[in-house]
Amino acid sequence: MTDARGLAVALADAFLADGEWRRPALADRGGQVLGVRRRWLVPVADAVVTAYPRRPSDRPRELAAFVSGLGPLREAVRRAATPIVVRSRPVVATRTVSHRWSTPVVDDLGGLAAVLGLTIEQLDWYADRRLLNRRAADDRLRHYRSRWVGGRLIEAPKPRLRALQRRLLTEVLGPVPVHGAAHGFVPARSAATFAAAHAGRPVVVRVDLLAFFATIGAGRVYGLLRTAGYPEPVAHALTGLCTIRTPASVLRLAPHDLVDRPVRLAALRAGHLPQGAPTSPALANLCAFRLDRRLSGLAGAFGLTYGRYADDLAFSGELPGRRLDDLLVAVAEVVRAEGFRVHPAKTRVRRRGDRQVLAGLVVNERPLVPREEYDRLRAILHNAALTGLAAQNRTGHPAFAEHLAGRIAWVGQGSPHRAAKLAALLDAALSTDPR
């Protein structure tokens, strides 16, 4: 074997095996791999112990990459008159070294499979480690159903993968804290809490992020999971379970007028968060933690309040016209530096005399649903009381009464009078419904 990378992988596994984490012991274990304790193993072991004072049991790939770049090893490979042969190869299980949050401890792939109730083969299939999902011509072999809705690509996981992702959302992602400025898809926070922070302000600035989920790549998700303490193989598998590479057949159906089409399609070809997976909003919030932290600091420097609801960024407060351009330039710079993109056509600046809308709520005084939305729902409920619910269910909703109750809760928030009036109309419709 003359390949430095392959030799380094074997040596890294040997170094991580049980035994002392000291230079002589590492050199001895390297000698067992090669069948003889070669002289150049000593400086290699010395460099490893210097760079890693503690055994990196959760990072075998990182250690192998480090070893493969060491001069003594590369020089030995270059000068070898005959191939350097690996005589034995220890099998070393990874272990969790650090555990930052109250997430479950999963040391290796066997442990992850057990947590999810899968075999190793099933875990490999759902994590799509061989990229079969992207290359499969038959939709039945794919893990996602994809469709374009306007300029958005919805990639919805099929039931079994969705169930696995929901479990990961609860057990793996739920304990990891998000930034206080994030309001979308966060327990005890909502569009209403997002909007309330900006109500009654002289100026409200809204900035939209372009292709929010698609621009969060698999590498960033993997980095987050490593930060959480999961060993490399476990973090790779978890990343595979939560990201997707969009098949070429789906990309060919992308609208031709898609904003920044080449850039967005390139992001979709690579591993990214699928819009439609239950894990994606939580992972997006976690991956945007540093963005939120930097924009919160920027807002503080301008004397403003900052918040984010999914891909909507909001700033509010006193903002003279001469400082508005400075803010927008600074926001764009931070967004770009953090790997995101500002949607060029969706920045909105609304002053007190304008209608200030965030996440569908008017915030000029207090968060309220726009009057026209209230009027539409009131008309539907009024007509339903006269003609019955079925006559007003023009979209064929399977649980129309429950759907209307949900809309009443949304439209009536912030206004008890509105909520009571709409609820009374629904009661009247239910009482006259023939069922």
Side-chain angles (χ1 to χ4, degrees):
M1 177 186 295
T2 56
D3 175 61
R5 174 64 183 173
L7 178 58
V9 170
L11 289 174
D13 286 344
F15 294 159
L16 293 173
D18 290 337
E20 291 184 330
W21 188 255
R22 295 172 59 238
R23 183 183 68 181
L26 297 191
D28 287 344
R29 292 203 288 274
Q32 292 170 8
V33 166
L34 303 181
V36 60
R37 191 179 189 275
R38 297 182 182 271
R39 187 176 300 172
W40 54 264
L41 285 170
V42 174
V44 166
D46 187 54
V48 167
V49 173
T50 301
Y52 296 91
R54 295 177 58 193
R55 188 191 312 261
S57 298
D58 61 337
R59 291 168 282 169
R61 295 188 185 188
E62 179 186 311
L63 180 60
F66 175 78
V67 172
S68 70
L70 293 175
L73 180 141
R74 301 190 72 85
E75 186 66 12
V77 170
R78 187 182 69 82
R79 291 188 171 189
T82 58
I84 300 176
V85 178
V86 172
R87 302 293 180 183
S88 66
R89 183 77 176 270
V91 177
V92 182
T94 55
R95 291 194 295 270
T96 301
V97 172
S98 63
H99 194 226
R100 188 168 181 179
W101 298 295
S102 58
T103 52
V105 175
V106 183
D107 288 325
D108 52 30
L109 292 178
L112 179 59
V115 166
L116 296 176
L118 301 173
T119 65
I120 291 291
E121 291 75 15
Q122 289 171 331
L123 175 62
D124 188 66
W125 166 248
Y126 285 113
D128 197 29
R129 295 170 65 196
R130 298 174 184 152
L131 301 182
L132 299 177
N133 182 77
R134 187 177 190 275
R135 296 195 296 263
D138 190 337
D139 283 345
R140 291 174 296 181
L141 298 178
R142 294 178 179 170
H143 297 320
Y144 292 81
R145 295 186 178 95
S146 305
R147 71 183 190 280
W148 288 94
V149 180
R152 294 180 181 267
L153 175 60
I154 306 301
E155 297 174 297
K158 293 179 180 178
R160 186 66 192 279
L161 179 57
R162 176 177 289 272
L164 293 174
Q165 290 174 340
R166 287 193 183 282
R167 190 163 183 178
L168 293 176
L169 177 62
T170 301
E171 299 180 16
V172 174
L173 303 178
V176 183
V178 301
H179 195 277
H183 290 264
F185 316 104
V186 179
R189 303 180 204 170
S190 63
T193 62
F194 169 64
H198 305 280
R201 299 300 180 88
V203 180
V204 175
V205 179
R206 181 189 143 205
V207 178
D208 189 74
L209 299 179
L210 180 68
F212 183 48
F213 291 113
T215 52
I216 298 177
R220 188 179 298 194
V221 174
Y222 171 76
L224 167 72
L225 294 166
R226 286 289 296 120
T227 300
Y230 291 104
E232 286 176 341
V234 176
H236 275 291
L238 288 171
T239 300
L241 289 169
C242 299
T243 60
I244 181 178
R245 294 172 183 260
T246 305
S249 59
V250 176
L251 296 177
R252 285 194 289 269
L253 300 176
H256 292 290
D257 60 350
L258 200 64
V259 177
D260 280 356
R261 192 175 191 271
V263 174
R264 293 174 70 175
L265 294 187
L268 292 170
R269 286 189 195 96
H272 63 277
L273 291 181
Q275 184 168 352
T279 45
S280 291
L283 283 168
N285 278 338
L286 295 173
C287 290
F289 187 95
R290 206 168 79 162
L291 172 72
D292 289 332
R293 185 175 62 188
R294 293 185 64 181
L295 290 180
S296 292
L298 179 66
F302 277 82
L304 304 175
T305 298
Y306 164 74
R308 180 177 59 81
Y309 189 85
D311 54 0
D312 283 347
L313 315 178
F315 301 84
S316 64
E318 292 280 357
L319 190 64
R322 64 182 180 276
R323 301 206 70 195
L324 174 60
D325 289 342
D326 294 339
L327 172 70
L328 294 177
V329 169
V331 168
E333 288 177 353
V334 170
V335 167
R336 183 169 54 253
E338 291 302 318
F340 297 96
R341 297 169 66 87
V342 170
H343 196 301
K346 290 192 176 181
T347 296
R348 299 286 184 269
V349 179
R350 296 291 182 262
R351 302 192 180 276
R352 202 185 297 276
D354 306 318
R355 175 187 273 191
Q356 301 168 332
V357 180
L358 292 174
L361 297 171
V362 179
V363 298
N364 290 68
E365 295 181 8
R366 65 184 189 278
L368 285 174
V369 170
R371 176 76 193 197
E372 55 268 25
E373 188 171 345
Y374 165 73
D375 288 341
R376 281 196 298 269
L377 180 56
R378 186 181 62 176
I380 291 172
L381 292 168
H382 174 77
N383 292 335
L386 298 175
T387 63
L389 288 171
Q392 298 303 312
N393 188 8
R394 296 189 174 93
T395 60
H397 201 287
F400 190 50
E402 292 79 1
H403 168 69
L404 290 175
R407 288 188 61 186
I408 289 172
W410 165 252
V411 171
Q413 63 182 315
S415 175
H417 173 72
R418 281 186 178 182
K421 193 166 186 176
L422 294 172
L425 287 171
L426 178 60
D427 289 342
L430 290 171
S431 65
T432 59
D433 191 74
R435 290 175 296 178

